[in-house]
Amino acid sequence: MPLMKSWVASANEADHPFPLNNLPYGVFSTEGGDPRCGVAIGDVILDVTAAEAGGLIELADEPLFDLPFWNPLMEEGPAVWAALRNRLTALLAEGAEEQAQVEPLLIAQIDAEMHMPFAVSEYTDFYAGRHHAQNVGTMFRGPENALPPNWLHIPIGYNGRASSVVVSGTDIRRPWGQLKSPDHDMPAFLPSRRFDIELEMGAIVGTPSDGPISVQEADDNIFGYVLLNDWSARDIQAWEYQPLGPFQAKATATSISPWIVTKAALEPFRCDTPVREFELLDHIKDCGPMLYDIDLEVTMEPDGKDATVIARTNYNEMYYSAAQQLAHHSTSGCPMNTGDLLGSGTISGPTKPERGSLLELSWGGKEPLTLDTGENRTFIEDGDTLTLTGAAKGKGYTIGFGDCVGTLLPALENPYAR
Amino acid sequence: MPLMKSWVASANEADHPFPLNNLPYGVFSTEGGDPRCGVAIGDVILDVTAAEAGGLIELADEPLFDLPFWNPLMEEGPAVWAALRNRLTALLAEGAEEQAQVEPLLIAQIDAEMHMPFAVSEYTDFYAGRHHAQNVGTMFRGPENALPPNWLHIPIGYNGRASSVVVSGTDIRRPWGQLKSPDHDMPAFLPSRRFDIELEMGAIVGTPSDGPISVQEADDNIFGYVLLNDWSARDIQAWEYQPLGPFQAKATATSISPWIVTKAALEPFRCDTPVREFELLDHIKDCGPMLYDIDLEVTMEPDGKDATVIARTNYNEMYYSAAQQLAHHSTSGCPMNTGDLLGSGTISGPTKPERGSLLELSWGGKEPLTLDTGENRTFIEDGDTLTLTGAAKGKGYTIGFGDCVGTLLPALENPYAR
């Protein structure tokens, strides 16, 4: 598919993340205004709430965009998702009759503040990147026992904390937590000293389910994708995670990109999961290309200094697709709801510059990175800004997500002072 | 505190679970009617939604009981919680002037169907019973290594799945899942063969928090308690839980009692946590009696046969209180919301008949129980009904929760057939 031309000139620029082929969904506000639903096109946002209120978009008897999140549309299902996309494409395409009516509803992105694009029902994070699991397992258990016995048979996942999911741009406060240094006999309550990122994609459930669903049904039920950074306190995690998994180490914050890129926009970029060592059992077997070819990049920017690219990889490095993860999530009969967010797990490629966490990049803190500024890093230091970007590169156009960015603030001196 | 007398005669009966001292909150419906808020008193339910609509209860400018869950009241905080309890006590006490107005708002419990009493925001389950952890650890790792190194320093918890929480009386469907028998090299997708209960109490967050809170603040923020049965597929759990904790094994269902017993009703039953081997760090140190003396009992009833009591224990056997768990949950800055549900972890006492799971009662399936019917059990069989009851026994009165009951239905022949 070539670039689709829009009458919004900036959307036609080479490598612009928001061409007419994309049309990602977000929630924005302008100074003094309430948050509302919008779609990104070039350098502007079409105010979808206003477009619906003004009769330019009519999809249902009740308004779908009068709340500041996209869940009501997500609940409507694939036919309405397609109808909206068709209508937005028609309104914004070169030569659209409605251009004069739509133009007053465009807001410059530079003037907009972005909010959470959807209400997160529940949040699940997976551990489904082969290279990440191999790296982490090698560090902790040696290369022979790197992958747990179940790893090649099910996408390992754990429930995270929906209340801690925040939109890109939200500052992250370094957490306190109980941890135990290897050179101490007893734990202590301290600010985390090994605070990390996890480069991930997040899949958003649109259509709910109640009972086991197949991989194909799971793929059908997914509404779209965001970039996701699962901030992780490695020292808290090391002390707490046995035997029941990570808990407070992962509960400070998880950042997502401001724009939900729909499955329709990503359709040309579908690709297969890798060749498998063991055939998967039927309930999670591949049934079509359900990963996506999306280039991913992480930069680290010390306070007031230039940013350095610290990792480049691709979503196609995953061992399990989001559809397989969602299908697995439903096997026990677990009801899945509109707005459930599934983190892919850290995405790392096979070589060192492709690693999606500082834990891997600095090999557990033993091999510091050198930034372009000349500074060294093992984990994140106060004031560092971490930015995730993603781009699916088509023939003549690019699909972007907007930056997923967060700055680490120093720990509070006394977290219990009010 | 002695029995407080009500003009509802059944509430004054010896050992009745719902005397005036209790006043637990639930959501009920009668044939053909919509679910509404109610409070149990003796054998009847006071329709609180109708009482508010009729002007007998006035607590806020906006109605608090026009939705079929108690979250709006929970959000109001302790002063309004106390005001409602005072008003209900006045309306239902012996000699109340309003008796004639209240009487038409009473519904026989026998005619009511109970629904989820609150909307669960997120669900967290802990592993904070010393005897349970000791038993399970001994089975899996031997008595020397039974407790993980962190166990005596933090209440180990993991996030569960709020969408799977159901009210007492909901049938439970035996799940399928991926599991691996010890005598097979490869996993298989099969119905669970080791399906179990976990006898727990659930604490419900009333007042939200955003940032670390102290144990005292956590206790203040808790609204009330329910009985909780965290149904668990042990064979699925055994295969999946390393390294990131239980996932699908715990996602089929968690049942709670229909009635929320408020902290105020349980006030006379506060008791201390046990003497500690290691002093806890300040952030989760005890600061008052925050466990409760509540007798707990589990019965198993094969289809069409008599029930057998299979376990008797007490909530005061826990090593950590719900307040300590909630405080720990907030250490990383994790926002806690109205309607968050915290499972205590399985409650077992020191002796065999006090064990709160079949895993412990049958010692991993090796020592079958004999029921009063003469049948043996290791884990739950199809058609078995499991019932949890709880009773705080005061001088001359009892505080009950209503039964927390569920019947296990056979696994579907093909879980993917529609």
Side-chain angles (χ1 to χ4, degrees), chain B residues 140-311:
Chain B
F140 294 146
R141 290 180 295 271
E144 297 305 310
N145 301 306
L147 290 188
N150 51 17
W151 202 95
L152 294 168
H153 301 282
I154 42 173
I156 299 294
Y158 65 97
N159 297 296
R161 184 75 196 175
S163 67
S164 69
V165 180
V166 298
V167 72
S168 171
T170 306
D171 289 337
I172 309 302
R173 176 71 67 183
R174 182 188 294 275
W176 286 68
Q178 194 180 111
L179 43 89
K180 195 180 82 61
S181 303
D183 50 346
H184 284 73
D185 287 340
M186 295 290 282
F189 189 66
L190 292 169
S192 170
R193 289 171 286 199
R194 291 161 72 94
F195 201 67
D196 198 357
I197 55 159
E198 292 198 334
L199 166 62
E200 304 191 26
M201 295 291 300
I204 302 163
V205 175
T207 306
S209 57
D210 189 7
I213 57 174
S214 69
V215 174
Q216 183 59 58
E217 286 170 310
D219 192 62
D220 293 343
N221 288 358
I222 292 171
F223 179 72
Y225 290 82
V226 288
L227 301 174
L228 186 149
N229 179 359
D230 194 46
W231 304 91
S232 300
R234 301 296 180 195
D235 38 9
I236 297 173
Q237 187 175 353
W239 175 235
E240 76 179 359
Y241 94 105
Q242 288 284 14
L244 298 186
F247 185 50
Q248 288 307 287
K250 302 283 196 163
T252 300
T254 295
S255 300
I256 63 169
S257 60
W259 297 105
I260 303 171
V261 174
T262 62
K263 213 166 41 181
L266 293 173
E267 205 57 39
F269 305 97
R270 281 185 181 265
C271 60
D272 288 316
T273 48
V275 174
R276 309 213 173 262
E277 278 159 72
F278 298 105
E279 194 177 5
L280 294 176
L281 294 175
D282 285 345
H283 64 114
I284 48 169
K285 194 170 279 184
D286 294 282
C287 62
M290 294 181 184
L291 278 181
Y292 297 92
D293 177 3
I294 301 171
D295 287 338
L296 300 167
E297 192 175 279
V298 183
T299 65
M300 177 181 261
E301 183 182 337
D303 192 13
K305 303 199 177 149
D306 288 341
T308 301
V309 175
I310 58 170

Side-chain angles (χ1 to χ4, degrees), chain A residues 303-325:
Chain A
D303 192 12
K305 302 199 178 150
D306 288 341
T308 301
V309 176
I310 59 170
R312 282 198 182 93
T313 184
N314 193 295
Y315 182 41
N316 64 18
E317 294 287 353
M318 298 306 292
Y319 198 75
Y320 295 99
S321 68
Q324 286 170 316
Q325 294 174 333

